[in-house]
Amino acid sequence: MLATLAKLLKVLNSETSPWSLAWGISLGMVLGLTPLFSLHNLLVLFAVLALRINLSFFLISFTVCSGLAYLLDPAFNYAGELLLTSPKLLTTWQALYDLPLARLAQFNHTITLGSVAVALVLLFPVLVMAHFIIINYRTRIQIRISRLPIVNIIKGTKFWSLYQKASQVKKGLSS
Amino acid sequence: MMRIIRWPGVVGFFVLVVVVIVFFALFLDNLVRAGLSSALTRTNRAEVNIEQVELRWSPFAVDIKNLQMTNPEKPTHNRFAANSLRAEVRFWELLIGKIHVEELTATGVQIDHERAQPGKVLAAAEPREKIAVRDRLAEFNIELPTAKSFLEGANIATPALVKEAEEKFNQREQLFSEARKNLPKQEALDNYQARIEAIIDSKPRTPRDLLAAREELNNIKQELRAEKERVDAFLAVSESIVKDTKQDIDEVKATYQADLDRARALFSFDTESLTELSGIMFGAQVEQWAGYALMAFDLIAPLLENAKENEATTPSRWQGRYVDFDTHSSPTLWVKQAQLSMQLEELEFGLAMQNITWQHERINTPTEFQLTTNNAPGWEQFNFNGDLFINNLGQVRGKQQWQLAGVQLHDLELIGSSSLSTAITTALLNSVGSLVINNGDITGQGDLHFTDTDFSVTGEGRVPQYFGQALSRVNTFELNLGLSGRFSSPKFQLRSDLDQQLGTQLNAILSTEVESRLAEVRTSLTSDSNGFMSKAEPWLVQAEALHGQGKSLEEGFAELLKAEVDNLIESESERLLDRLKKKLGNN
């Protein structure tokens, strides 16, 4: 647990692209909020693995959002029901119903569609917000935090030594 | 561009995909087996076991080996079992939660087959009441009661009544004797007559004579008044005694007759009471045949009803639901063709069914079924078909008909117990029937015509003996099977002319025995009542005569008490005297 936290802090304080971290958080949210064994999650997984998206933040985001999804399933069910029973969208759904790929995506399942819709709506706000927070953390918050007395106490703990160790390994690998 | 792609990640993704595919290739059959067992168990409302499932991809099909579906009403047996079952399923419909089976074939199908272990039931059905054959036969009291057992029975009223009547009679006889002493003696009456005649003979002319005559008459009247009071007391007692004794005698006579009638009724067979005999003999067998006749409905209907209920249940907010956008409105479950081959009592049958679904209005076609047989030697005719339609409101309607001719029955056990065993050794069976289902209610009937029948009956006691003799005289009979109730749990009613035939035969066999036992009862009852009747009846005649005599005296005294001297002497004298003479006995 401490090692994971150290790793996360290391990544946060490193020079890793803020977009990489922000995409990790937002795509982890998509995977976490929607049913795991869905066709669209195959695409999400491919994107996370194939592109330079931070895996640590992706996994943390996925774990946290999976827990949230259990609580939010009734809301997703409501959203899906609303969309799937909307008369304006009926022709779209009927057209999709004839497409094998759409059937594989199980678009007509209320929780699947509801959760995907909510995740897509949240994707870009979460991405932009995460990017903003990471940038601000690195430029302002990180320096202020390092000056706090509590941080000096932390620097004397096992956690700090782990963090340092991780940083040295990173430096060694990069040199 | 190349910087943003993580090549080890791309490789890792494909490795992951391959691992997932391999995992499913290895374990998909087992996953499907578990999923199918669970879904079928929910639909069947009782445990469903599947030994093995294999998936075929082209055409997409599911092969199931050794499928066993527990009967929820009888968990020790399977409602349906099949050695192998193959369903060619439309893959794309499956992905959106629809099961469209192009062709379903099942071999080694067994209905009501005993399980190795009782299956678990999700919702236990109420057990049906079963009465043992021996208990049912006991209701008919085929064993005749002996005269002794009848006479010792609590139903016989004559002996107790006679005893009670005798005691009352003795008391009344004594009371009557006492009261009789109040009647005037003959000498006293003669004396009154002589004194009145003396007054008349004196023919008083002078006032003195008249006064003397009047005084004498007043004296007589005074004495007569006292006599009349005693006669009145006698009449008061004797009237109630005569009336009660007469009533007792009538009651004894009536009870004697009622006891005799009861004995006659008990000893003789009432054919009306044998209306259920054929039900006992053929009930189990006919129920089994009716079960075969309703096999198609039994297989389809409960499953469709349960599946429909499962679908109609409001989906959980935590599970969601599939919304149907099918412009063709195809059913959720649709088995287009099904062919089941099964063995029933050494015969192979094929049950073909088309369009199994509970959403018939979507395809505008009912579920149809036909039963055929290939190896039924001697069967001259066999037609069996029907259909079933469930509309959008969930109302079920359907029909079924059958004709069967030339079935040769051999050694068909009807009742099998150590105390009584009955079997048809040989018989020829023809049957025709039909049934209709309307809004889930079933009405129908089937006629089973048996000819050239030969029965065998064995067992302990006299019942098998009576049965065997009676059945040996039966050559032809009809069984009429009535069907009613809900189609998912039909009720059977059985009527037969066999009951009447058996009743007549049993009556004929037992008539001699009945007469001798009846004579024995009559003798016993007569001896019980004779003692009392021989005393009471003659006594009653005498008592009635004395009562009449007392009444005449009382009337005579009353008239005399009204008489005056002038009347006596003149015009009325002769008439009064004549009447008095008559009342007192013509002397």
Side-chain angles (χ1 to χ4, degrees):
Chain A
M1 180 68 191
L2 283 174
T4 311
L5 194 59
K7 203 175 175 186
L8 281 176
L9 279 173
K10 183 194 77 65
V11 172
L12 199 60
N13 295 333
S14 71
E15 290 173 0
T16 309
S17 158
W19 284 116
S20 169
L21 301 182
W23 274 110
I25 291 169
S26 35
L27 287 180
M29 177 201 69
V30 173
L31 193 79
L33 291 184
T34 60
L36 187 62
F37 296 103
S38 305
L39 189 63
H40 65 268
N41 280 341
L42 209 60
L43 292 174
V44 170
L45 198 65
F46 179 74
V48 169
L49 290 173
L51 303 175
R52 291 194 181 277
I53 292 169
N54 188 272
L55 286 175
S56 300
F57 271 75
F58 171 77
L59 289 173
I60 286 292
S61 174
F62 164 66
T63 310
V64 171
C65 291
S66 290
L68 275 177
Y70 281 107
L71 301 172
L72 292 171
D73 270 351
F76 296 152
N77 181 53
Y78 176 76
E81 191 81 37
L82 212 66
L83 290 168
L84 288 168
T85 54
S86 166
K88 288 179 185 171
L89 295 169
L90 183 63
T91 47
T92 311
W93 302 136
Q94 283 176 340
L96 282 174
Y97 202 75
D98 292 331
L99 295 176
L101 200 66
R103 290 189 180 190
L104 273 174
Q106 299 205 313
F107 79 96
N108 64 328
H109 187 250
T110 51
I111 288 182
T112 305
L113 185 72
S115 60
V116 168
V118 170
L120 287 178
V121 166
L122 292 175
L123 179 67
F124 288 101
V126 168
L127 179 70
V128 171
M129 202 181 289
H131 182 261
F132 176 79
I133 291 169
I134 292 161
I135 294 288
N136 273 277
Y137 173 81
R138 282 181 178 174
T139 55
R140 296 174 192 175
I141 304 167
Q142 191 184 7
I143 297 161
R144 285 184 194 176
I145 288 175
S146 65
R147 287 176 191 159
L148 291 172
I150 187 83
V151 174
N152 291 324
I153 296 167
I154 291 170
K155 280 181 179 175
T157 62
K158 188 188 171 189
F159 169 73
W160 186 252
S161 65
L162 275 169
Y163 171 66
Q164 288 290 84
K165 203 175 172 183
S167 299
Q168 281 166 7
V169 171
K170 169 78 180 170
K171 276 177 189 170
L173 284 173
S174 59
S175 63
Chain B
M1 178 66 187
M2 296 300 282
R3 264 187 66 91
I4 62 164
I5 295 174
R6 184 159 47 195
W7 290 107
V10 174
V11 174
F13 173 77
F14 286 108
V15 168
L16 190 68
V17 169
V18 168
V19 167
V20 170
I21 290 171
V22 169
F23 174 81
F24 275 105
L26 288 174
F27 299 108
L28 188 61
D29 289 351
N30 282 331
L31 290 172
V32 171
R33 184 174 71 90
L36 207 56
S37 298
S38 165
L40 285 173
T41 297
R42 279 199 306 277
T43 306
N44 186 47
R45 305 273 158 90
E47 185 178 337
V48 172
N49 307 98
I50 297 171
E51 189 183 307
Q52 192 185 344
V53 169
E54 279 182 38
L55 292 177
R56 312 267 175 207
W57 296 99
S58 183
F60 184 69
V62 184
D63 281 340
I64 296 171
K65 280 187 186 163
N66 200 7
L67 168 72
Q68 294 189 31
M69 300 175 77
T70 307
N71 185 346
E73 291 181 5
K74 198 163 68 168
T76 52
H77 286 67
N78 288 315
R79 161 191 279 174
F80 176 88
N83 291 341
S84 73
L85 196 142
R86 183 186 175 88
E88 285 186 16
V89 187
R90 291 186 63 148
F91 183 74
W92 293 115
E93 270 71 17
L94 206 59
L95 290 176
I96 50 166
K98 289 193 173 186
I99 302 168
H100 286 188
V101 179
E102 288 293 328
E103 191 163 358
L104 178 81
T105 49
T107 57
V109 172
Q110 288 173 308
I111 310 291
D112 199 32
H113 176 245
E114 194 173 358
R115 291 174 60 87
Q117 285 182 326
K120 288 176 189 161
V121 179
L122 300 187
E126 285 183 20
R128 291 180 189 175
E129 195 184 347
K130 294 248 177 194
I131 303 170
V133 171
R134 195 174 170 77
D135 296 340
R136 298 287 300 278
L137 281 170
E139 290 171 18
F140 294 105
N141 201 14
I142 288 168
E143 195 79 59
L144 283 182
T146 60
K148 193 181 171 195
S149 69
F150 173 78
L151 291 167
E152 284 170 356
N155 286 337
I156 293 298
T158 305
L161 187 71
V162 166
K163 196 179 170 191
E164 190 187 331
E166 241 173 347
E167 282 172 10
K168 284 189 205 165
F169 173 74
N170 290 338
Q171 289 170 1
R172 287 186 198 129
E173 196 180 24
Q174 209 173 343
L175 275 175
F176 193 87
S177 300
E178 289 293 322
R180 195 183 167 183
K181 288 175 185 168
N182 287 321
L183 286 178
K185 298 275 184 298
Q186 188 59 45
E187 298 84 52
L189 292 175
D190 291 344
N191 180 33
Y192 292 131
Q193 190 182 356
R195 284 164 70 186
I196 288 167
E197 278 174 0
I199 292 169
I200 295 166
D201 290 343
S202 67
K203 292 176 184 170
R205 293 279 186 265
T206 65
R208 183 185 295 273
D209 291 346
L210 272 170
L211 274 172
R214 192 170 287 122
E215 197 178 339
E216 175 60 11
L217 185 62
N218 284 342
N219 289 338
I220 292 170
K221 272 182 173 179
Q222 206 170 350
E223 287 174 41
L224 281 177
R225 204 169 280 118
E227 290 286 3
K228 185 177 176 293
E229 276 173 15
R230 284 196 291 277
V231 171
D232 283 344
F234 164 75
L235 285 174
V237 173
S238 69
E239 189 167 7
S240 67
I241 285 176
V242 166
K243 189 182 160 195
D244 291 346
T245 308
K246 203 170 180 182
Q247 204 174 327
D248 280 357
I249 289 170
D250 289 346
E251 202 178 339
V252 167
K253 281 179 181 173
T255 308
Y256 169 87
Q257 194 55 47
D259 282 346
L260 266 184
D261 291 345
R262 200 175 292 120
R264 190 175 285 111
L266 195 76
F267 291 152
S268 61
F269 266 117
D270 180 6
T271 49
E272 291 293 314
S273 70
L274 292 171
T275 50
E276 287 178 40
L277 201 52
S278 59
I280 293 174
M281 287 178 66
F282 285 91
Q285 186 61 58
V286 169
E287 195 168 337
Q288 191 180 0
W289 288 342
Y292 294 153
L294 292 168
M295 177 173 54
F297 288 126
D298 270 349
L299 280 176
I300 308 166
L303 294 177
L304 292 186
E305 271 211 335
N306 293 345
K308 188 173 185 299
E309 278 174 27
N310 283 345
E311 196 194 40
T313 308
T314 311
S316 161
R317 290 184 305 151
W318 306 91
Q319 290 175 339
R321 70 174 182 112
Y322 288 94
V323 181
D324 194 355
F325 295 106
D326 189 1
T327 47
H328 302 102
S329 295
S330 60
T332 311
L333 171 72
W334 187 8
V335 180
K336 294 178 183 174
Q337 291 282 346
Q339 184 68 46
L340 281 67
S341 63
M342 63 190 82
Q343 183 119 9
L344 295 175
E345 297 186 358
E346 298 169 3
L347 293 175
E348 275 181 24
F349 289 92
L351 177 62
M353 291 185 275
Q354 298 87 38
N355 298 310
I356 301 172
T357 180
W358 67 81
Q359 291 158 323
H360 293 97
E361 285 195 359
R362 292 193 178 187
I363 54 172
N364 205 25
T365 310
T367 298
E368 292 176 339
F369 52 87
Q370 308 84 34
L371 189 68
T372 52
T373 182
N374 300 322
N375 68 336
W379 287 28
E380 291 162 16
Q381 188 188 22
F382 180 59
N383 295 315
F384 185 106
N385 54 64
D387 58 55
L388 178 81
F389 192 97
I390 303 173
N391 67 16
N392 285 343
L393 299 171
Q395 294 165 331
V396 185
R397 66 171 194 267
K399 61 182 186 300
Q400 180 182 297
Q401 51 275 317
W402 71 89
Q403 297 91 35
L404 176 65
V407 179
Q408 197 72 50
L409 300 175
H410 292 286
D411 299 322
L412 183 73
E413 188 181 71
L414 302 174
I415 300 171
S417 74
S418 58
S419 55
L420 177 65
S421 168
T422 311
I424 289 181
T425 318
T426 56
L428 190 66
L429 170 67
N430 295 332
S431 176
V432 61
S434 65
L435 62 93
V436 172
I437 295 172
N438 196 4
N439 197 13
D441 289 326
I442 194 167
T443 47
Q445 75 164 57
D447 297 330
L448 295 102
H449 185 70
F450 294 82
T451 50
D452 303 330
T453 53
D454 190 13
F455 291 89
S456 73
V457 180
T458 53
E460 303 155 359
R462 300 181 78 169
V463 174
Q465 187 192 331
Y466 295 147
F467 252 45
Q469 286 176 28
L471 284 170
S472 67
R473 299 175 193 180
V474 175
N475 184 256
T476 303
F477 66 94
E478 290 263 355
L479 279 179
N480 309 109
L481 171 71
L483 291 159
S484 60
R486 297 296 295 172
F487 83 108
S488 49
S489 53
K491 293 188 171 96
F492 309 104
Q493 301 89 40
L494 203 58
R495 283 180 290 108
S496 175
D497 62 349
L498 182 64
D499 294 326
Q500 202 184 352
Q501 288 192 55
L502 272 177
T504 309
Q505 298 302 341
L506 286 169
N507 256 336
I509 293 164
L510 298 169
S511 61
T512 320
E513 219 165 320
V514 167
E515 283 308 317
S516 78
R517 291 181 188 194
L518 198 60
E520 212 175 314
V521 170
R522 189 182 285 114
T523 309
S524 172
L525 291 177
T526 307
S527 76
D528 280 341
S529 60
N530 252 2
F532 167 71
M533 296 298 275
S534 62
K535 276 195 294 183
E537 277 188 315
W539 179 88
L540 183 66
V541 173
Q542 280 183 350
E544 278 179 324
L546 279 170
H547 179 75
Q549 217 171 330
K551 198 120 185 142
S552 300
L553 268 177
E554 191 267 342
E555 284 170 10
F557 287 158
E559 278 193 48
L560 272 175
L561 286 171
K562 286 179 203 163
E564 295 299 331
V565 173
D566 296 344
N567 297 344
L568 277 177
I569 295 165
E570 292 170 5
S571 60
E572 292 297 316
S573 63
E574 288 302 316
R575 190 181 65 80
L576 282 172
L577 278 170
D578 286 348
R579 284 187 66 184
L580 184 63
K581 280 178 186 171
K582 278 179 194 166
K583 299 267 164 91
L584 295 176
N586 289 325
N587 47 3

